Short mmCIF file of all heavy atoms in Angstrom, two decimals:
data_model
loop_
_atom_site.label_atom_id
_atom_site.label_comp_id
_atom_site.label_asym_id
_atom_site.label_seq_id
_atom_site.Cartn_x
_atom_site.Cartn_y
_atom_site.Cartn_z
N GLU A 172 0.85 -1.18 0.00
CA GLU A 172 0.00 0.00 0.00
C GLU A 172 0.90 1.25 0.00
O GLU A 172 1.71 1.44 0.90
CB GLU A 172 -0.89 0.01 1.24
CG GLU A 172 -1.87 1.15 1.28
CD GLU A 172 -2.77 1.08 2.50
OE1 GLU A 172 -2.24 1.06 3.62
OE2 GLU A 172 -3.99 1.06 2.32
N LYS A 173 0.73 2.07 -1.01
CA LYS A 173 1.60 3.25 -1.16
C LYS A 173 0.98 4.45 -0.45
O LYS A 173 0.47 5.38 -1.07
CB LYS A 173 1.86 3.52 -2.63
CG LYS A 173 2.65 2.39 -3.28
CD LYS A 173 3.05 2.67 -4.71
CE LYS A 173 3.90 1.55 -5.27
NZ LYS A 173 4.32 1.77 -6.67
N ASP A 174 1.05 4.40 0.87
CA ASP A 174 0.51 5.47 1.69
C ASP A 174 1.61 6.43 2.12
O ASP A 174 2.69 6.46 1.51
CB ASP A 174 -0.24 4.89 2.91
CG ASP A 174 0.69 4.10 3.82
OD1 ASP A 174 1.93 4.07 3.57
OD2 ASP A 174 0.20 3.49 4.78
N GLU A 175 1.38 7.18 3.18
CA GLU A 175 2.35 8.20 3.61
C GLU A 175 3.67 7.60 4.12
O GLU A 175 4.67 8.31 4.23
CB GLU A 175 1.74 9.08 4.70
CG GLU A 175 1.49 8.40 6.04
CD GLU A 175 0.16 7.66 6.10
OE1 GLU A 175 -0.52 7.57 5.06
OE2 GLU A 175 -0.20 7.18 7.19
N ASN A 176 3.69 6.30 4.42
CA ASN A 176 4.92 5.66 4.90
C ASN A 176 5.75 5.03 3.79
O ASN A 176 6.89 4.61 4.04
CB ASN A 176 4.57 4.58 5.93
CG ASN A 176 3.99 5.15 7.21
OD1 ASN A 176 4.48 6.16 7.72
ND2 ASN A 176 2.95 4.53 7.73
N PHE A 177 5.19 4.98 2.58
CA PHE A 177 5.87 4.23 1.53
C PHE A 177 7.20 4.85 1.11
O PHE A 177 8.19 4.14 0.90
CB PHE A 177 4.97 4.08 0.30
CG PHE A 177 5.63 3.31 -0.82
CD1 PHE A 177 5.78 1.94 -0.75
CD2 PHE A 177 6.14 3.99 -1.94
CE1 PHE A 177 6.41 1.24 -1.76
CE2 PHE A 177 6.77 3.29 -2.95
CZ PHE A 177 6.90 1.91 -2.87
N ASP A 178 7.26 6.17 0.97
CA ASP A 178 8.51 6.82 0.55
C ASP A 178 9.64 6.53 1.54
O ASP A 178 10.77 6.26 1.14
CB ASP A 178 8.31 8.33 0.40
CG ASP A 178 7.57 8.69 -0.89
OD1 ASP A 178 7.48 7.82 -1.78
OD2 ASP A 178 7.07 9.82 -0.98
N SER A 179 9.31 6.59 2.83
CA SER A 179 10.32 6.31 3.86
C SER A 179 10.77 4.86 3.77
O SER A 179 11.96 4.55 3.92
CB SER A 179 9.75 6.59 5.26
OG SER A 179 9.46 7.95 5.41
N TYR A 180 9.82 3.97 3.53
CA TYR A 180 10.13 2.54 3.39
C TYR A 180 11.06 2.32 2.20
O TYR A 180 12.08 1.63 2.30
CB TYR A 180 8.84 1.75 3.22
CG TYR A 180 9.03 0.34 2.72
CD1 TYR A 180 9.42 -0.69 3.58
CD2 TYR A 180 8.82 0.01 1.38
CE1 TYR A 180 9.61 -1.98 3.12
CE2 TYR A 180 9.00 -1.28 0.91
CZ TYR A 180 9.39 -2.27 1.79
OH TYR A 180 9.57 -3.55 1.34
N ARG A 181 10.72 2.93 1.06
CA ARG A 181 11.51 2.75 -0.16
C ARG A 181 12.93 3.29 0.04
O ARG A 181 13.91 2.63 -0.33
CB ARG A 181 10.84 3.47 -1.33
CG ARG A 181 11.49 3.21 -2.68
CD ARG A 181 10.68 3.86 -3.81
NE ARG A 181 11.18 3.45 -5.10
CZ ARG A 181 12.21 4.03 -5.72
NH1 ARG A 181 12.83 5.05 -5.15
NH2 ARG A 181 12.62 3.59 -6.90
N LYS A 182 13.06 4.46 0.63
CA LYS A 182 14.38 5.05 0.89
C LYS A 182 15.19 4.17 1.83
O LYS A 182 16.40 3.99 1.64
CB LYS A 182 14.22 6.45 1.48
CG LYS A 182 13.75 7.49 0.47
CD LYS A 182 13.49 8.83 1.14
CE LYS A 182 12.94 9.84 0.14
NZ LYS A 182 12.58 11.13 0.79
N ASN A 183 14.53 3.62 2.84
CA ASN A 183 15.21 2.76 3.80
C ASN A 183 15.73 1.49 3.14
O ASN A 183 16.85 1.05 3.41
CB ASN A 183 14.26 2.44 4.96
CG ASN A 183 14.91 1.57 6.02
OD1 ASN A 183 14.71 0.36 6.06
ND2 ASN A 183 15.66 2.19 6.90
N ARG A 184 14.92 0.88 2.28
CA ARG A 184 15.33 -0.35 1.60
C ARG A 184 16.50 -0.09 0.65
O ARG A 184 17.45 -0.87 0.57
CB ARG A 184 14.14 -0.96 0.84
CG ARG A 184 13.00 -1.44 1.70
CD ARG A 184 13.44 -2.55 2.64
NE ARG A 184 13.58 -3.83 1.95
CZ ARG A 184 14.17 -4.90 2.48
NH1 ARG A 184 14.69 -4.83 3.70
NH2 ARG A 184 14.26 -6.03 1.81
N ILE A 185 16.44 1.03 -0.07
CA ILE A 185 17.53 1.36 -0.99
C ILE A 185 18.79 1.70 -0.21
O ILE A 185 19.91 1.33 -0.60
CB ILE A 185 17.11 2.53 -1.92
CG1 ILE A 185 16.02 2.04 -2.89
CG2 ILE A 185 18.31 3.06 -2.70
CD1 ILE A 185 15.43 3.12 -3.77
N TYR A 186 18.64 2.40 0.92
CA TYR A 186 19.79 2.73 1.77
C TYR A 186 20.50 1.46 2.24
O TYR A 186 21.73 1.38 2.22
CB TYR A 186 19.32 3.55 2.97
CG TYR A 186 20.39 3.72 4.04
CD1 TYR A 186 21.45 4.61 3.86
CD2 TYR A 186 20.34 2.98 5.22
CE1 TYR A 186 22.44 4.76 4.83
CE2 TYR A 186 21.32 3.12 6.19
CZ TYR A 186 22.37 4.00 6.00
OH TYR A 186 23.34 4.14 6.94
N LYS A 187 19.72 0.47 2.66
CA LYS A 187 20.32 -0.80 3.12
C LYS A 187 21.05 -1.50 1.98
O LYS A 187 22.12 -2.10 2.19
CB LYS A 187 19.24 -1.71 3.71
CG LYS A 187 18.72 -1.23 5.06
CD LYS A 187 17.70 -2.20 5.64
CE LYS A 187 17.27 -1.73 7.03
NZ LYS A 187 16.29 -2.64 7.65
N LEU A 188 20.49 -1.40 0.80
CA LEU A 188 21.12 -2.00 -0.38
C LEU A 188 22.44 -1.28 -0.70
O LEU A 188 23.47 -1.93 -0.95
CB LEU A 188 20.16 -1.90 -1.56
CG LEU A 188 20.35 -2.81 -2.77
CD1 LEU A 188 20.39 -4.26 -2.35
CD2 LEU A 188 19.21 -2.57 -3.76
N GLU A 189 22.42 0.04 -0.66
CA GLU A 189 23.63 0.82 -0.94
C GLU A 189 24.71 0.56 0.10
O GLU A 189 25.90 0.54 -0.21
CB GLU A 189 23.28 2.31 -0.97
CG GLU A 189 22.46 2.70 -2.20
CD GLU A 189 21.96 4.13 -2.15
OE1 GLU A 189 21.92 4.70 -1.03
OE2 GLU A 189 21.61 4.66 -3.22
N LYS A 190 24.29 0.35 1.34
CA LYS A 190 25.25 0.05 2.41
C LYS A 190 25.96 -1.27 2.13
O LYS A 190 27.18 -1.39 2.33
CB LYS A 190 24.49 -0.01 3.74
CG LYS A 190 25.38 0.07 4.97
CD LYS A 190 24.55 0.19 6.24
CE LYS A 190 25.44 0.23 7.46
NZ LYS A 190 24.65 0.30 8.72
N GLN A 191 25.20 -2.27 1.66
CA GLN A 191 25.83 -3.55 1.32
C GLN A 191 26.77 -3.40 0.13
O GLN A 191 27.85 -3.98 0.10
CB GLN A 191 24.74 -4.58 0.98
CG GLN A 191 23.89 -5.01 2.15
CD GLN A 191 22.85 -6.04 1.72
OE1 GLN A 191 23.19 -7.17 1.40
NE2 GLN A 191 21.59 -5.65 1.71
N ILE A 192 26.36 -2.61 -0.86
CA ILE A 192 27.18 -2.38 -2.05
C ILE A 192 28.49 -1.70 -1.67
O ILE A 192 29.57 -2.11 -2.11
CB ILE A 192 26.40 -1.52 -3.08
CG1 ILE A 192 25.27 -2.36 -3.71
CG2 ILE A 192 27.34 -1.00 -4.18
CD1 ILE A 192 24.29 -1.55 -4.55
N ASN A 193 28.41 -0.69 -0.83
CA ASN A 193 29.62 0.01 -0.39
C ASN A 193 30.54 -0.90 0.41
O ASN A 193 31.76 -0.83 0.28
CB ASN A 193 29.24 1.24 0.45
CG ASN A 193 28.57 2.32 -0.37
OD1 ASN A 193 28.76 2.40 -1.58
ND2 ASN A 193 27.78 3.17 0.28
N GLY A 194 29.95 -1.78 1.21
CA GLY A 194 30.75 -2.69 2.02
C GLY A 194 31.50 -3.71 1.19
O GLY A 194 32.58 -4.18 1.58
N LEU A 195 30.95 -4.06 0.01
CA LEU A 195 31.59 -5.07 -0.84
C LEU A 195 32.48 -4.46 -1.93
O LEU A 195 33.24 -5.19 -2.58
CB LEU A 195 30.50 -5.92 -1.52
CG LEU A 195 29.67 -6.83 -0.61
CD1 LEU A 195 28.48 -7.38 -1.38
CD2 LEU A 195 30.52 -7.98 -0.08
N SER A 196 32.39 -3.16 -2.13
CA SER A 196 33.03 -2.53 -3.29
C SER A 196 34.56 -2.60 -3.26
O SER A 196 35.21 -2.53 -4.31
CB SER A 196 32.59 -1.06 -3.40
OG SER A 196 32.96 -0.34 -2.24
N MET A 197 35.16 -2.73 -2.08
CA MET A 197 36.63 -2.77 -1.97
C MET A 197 37.17 -4.20 -2.00
O MET A 197 38.38 -4.40 -2.00
CB MET A 197 37.07 -2.08 -0.68
CG MET A 197 36.62 -0.63 -0.56
SD MET A 197 37.26 0.39 -1.91
CE MET A 197 39.01 0.38 -1.50
N SER A 198 36.29 -5.18 -2.04
CA SER A 198 36.74 -6.57 -1.99
C SER A 198 37.10 -7.10 -3.37
O SER A 198 36.46 -6.76 -4.36
CB SER A 198 35.64 -7.45 -1.37
OG SER A 198 36.02 -8.82 -1.41
N GLU A 199 38.15 -7.92 -3.42
CA GLU A 199 38.53 -8.58 -4.68
C GLU A 199 38.20 -10.07 -4.65
O GLU A 199 38.46 -10.78 -5.61
CB GLU A 199 40.04 -8.38 -4.93
CG GLU A 199 40.41 -6.91 -5.14
CD GLU A 199 41.88 -6.73 -5.42
OE1 GLU A 199 42.62 -7.74 -5.44
OE2 GLU A 199 42.30 -5.56 -5.62
N ASN A 200 37.62 -10.52 -3.55
CA ASN A 200 37.20 -11.91 -3.44
C ASN A 200 36.13 -12.20 -4.48
O ASN A 200 35.17 -11.43 -4.64
CB ASN A 200 36.67 -12.15 -2.02
CG ASN A 200 36.14 -13.55 -1.82
OD1 ASN A 200 35.02 -13.84 -2.23
ND2 ASN A 200 36.93 -14.40 -1.19
N GLU A 201 36.30 -13.30 -5.21
CA GLU A 201 35.38 -13.60 -6.33
C GLU A 201 33.93 -13.69 -5.88
O GLU A 201 33.02 -13.18 -6.54
CB GLU A 201 35.80 -14.91 -7.01
CG GLU A 201 34.96 -15.23 -8.24
CD GLU A 201 35.40 -16.51 -8.92
OE1 GLU A 201 36.40 -17.12 -8.47
OE2 GLU A 201 34.73 -16.92 -9.89
N LYS A 202 33.71 -14.35 -4.73
CA LYS A 202 32.35 -14.48 -4.21
C LYS A 202 31.74 -13.12 -3.90
O LYS A 202 30.58 -12.85 -4.22
CB LYS A 202 32.37 -15.36 -2.96
CG LYS A 202 31.00 -15.66 -2.39
CD LYS A 202 31.11 -16.58 -1.17
CE LYS A 202 29.74 -16.86 -0.58
NZ LYS A 202 29.83 -17.75 0.61
N ASN A 203 32.54 -12.23 -3.29
CA ASN A 203 32.06 -10.90 -2.95
C ASN A 203 31.82 -10.05 -4.20
O ASN A 203 30.88 -9.25 -4.24
CB ASN A 203 33.05 -10.20 -2.02
CG ASN A 203 33.06 -10.79 -0.63
OD1 ASN A 203 32.13 -11.49 -0.24
ND2 ASN A 203 34.11 -10.52 0.12
N VAL A 204 32.69 -10.21 -5.20
CA VAL A 204 32.52 -9.47 -6.46
C VAL A 204 31.22 -9.88 -7.14
O VAL A 204 30.47 -9.04 -7.65
CB VAL A 204 33.73 -9.68 -7.40
CG1 VAL A 204 33.44 -9.12 -8.78
CG2 VAL A 204 34.98 -9.02 -6.81
N ASN A 205 30.95 -11.19 -7.16
CA ASN A 205 29.70 -11.67 -7.75
C ASN A 205 28.48 -11.13 -7.00
O ASN A 205 27.49 -10.73 -7.61
CB ASN A 205 29.68 -13.20 -7.76
CG ASN A 205 30.67 -13.80 -8.73
OD1 ASN A 205 31.08 -13.14 -9.68
ND2 ASN A 205 31.08 -15.04 -8.49
N ARG A 206 28.59 -11.14 -5.68
CA ARG A 206 27.49 -10.60 -4.86
C ARG A 206 27.31 -9.11 -5.10
O ARG A 206 26.18 -8.62 -5.20
CB ARG A 206 27.78 -10.87 -3.38
CG ARG A 206 26.72 -10.35 -2.41
CD ARG A 206 25.38 -10.96 -2.68
NE ARG A 206 24.37 -10.52 -1.71
CZ ARG A 206 23.06 -10.58 -1.92
NH1 ARG A 206 22.58 -11.07 -3.06
NH2 ARG A 206 22.23 -10.17 -1.00
N LEU A 207 28.41 -8.39 -5.23
CA LEU A 207 28.36 -6.96 -5.51
C LEU A 207 27.63 -6.69 -6.82
O LEU A 207 26.77 -5.80 -6.89
CB LEU A 207 29.78 -6.39 -5.57
CG LEU A 207 29.92 -4.92 -5.96
CD1 LEU A 207 29.25 -4.01 -4.94
CD2 LEU A 207 31.40 -4.55 -6.12
N ASN A 208 27.94 -7.46 -7.84
CA ASN A 208 27.28 -7.27 -9.14
C ASN A 208 25.79 -7.58 -9.06
O ASN A 208 24.97 -6.90 -9.68
CB ASN A 208 27.95 -8.15 -10.20
CG ASN A 208 29.34 -7.67 -10.54
OD1 ASN A 208 29.64 -6.48 -10.44
ND2 ASN A 208 30.22 -8.59 -10.95
#
């Protein structure tokens, strides 16, 4: 339901995704690189 809380929810989910991406971006481990992609 896209009510008054939806924008905050969407931003929060994308923020968590970006946090994982940033955490993996410096790794050269093949498994981590695949996960990053």
Side-chain angles (χ1 to χ4, degrees):
E172 184 178 57
K173 295 185 177 180
D174 62 5
E175 68 275 7
N176 293 317
F177 179 75
D178 283 345
S179 296
Y180 165 80
R181 187 175 188 276
K182 287 175 184 175
N183 181 260
R184 294 298 284 168
I185 291 174
Y186 169 76
K187 288 183 177 180
L188 200 54
E189 289 173 340
K190 196 173 179 182
Q191 292 180 69
I192 289 170
N193 292 335
L195 292 168
S196 61
M197 302 301 291
S198 175
E199 296 181 0
N200 177 280
E201 184 179 357
K202 185 178 179 181
N203 289 342
V204 170
N205 290 337
R206 179 60 177 159
L207 175 63
N208 290 332

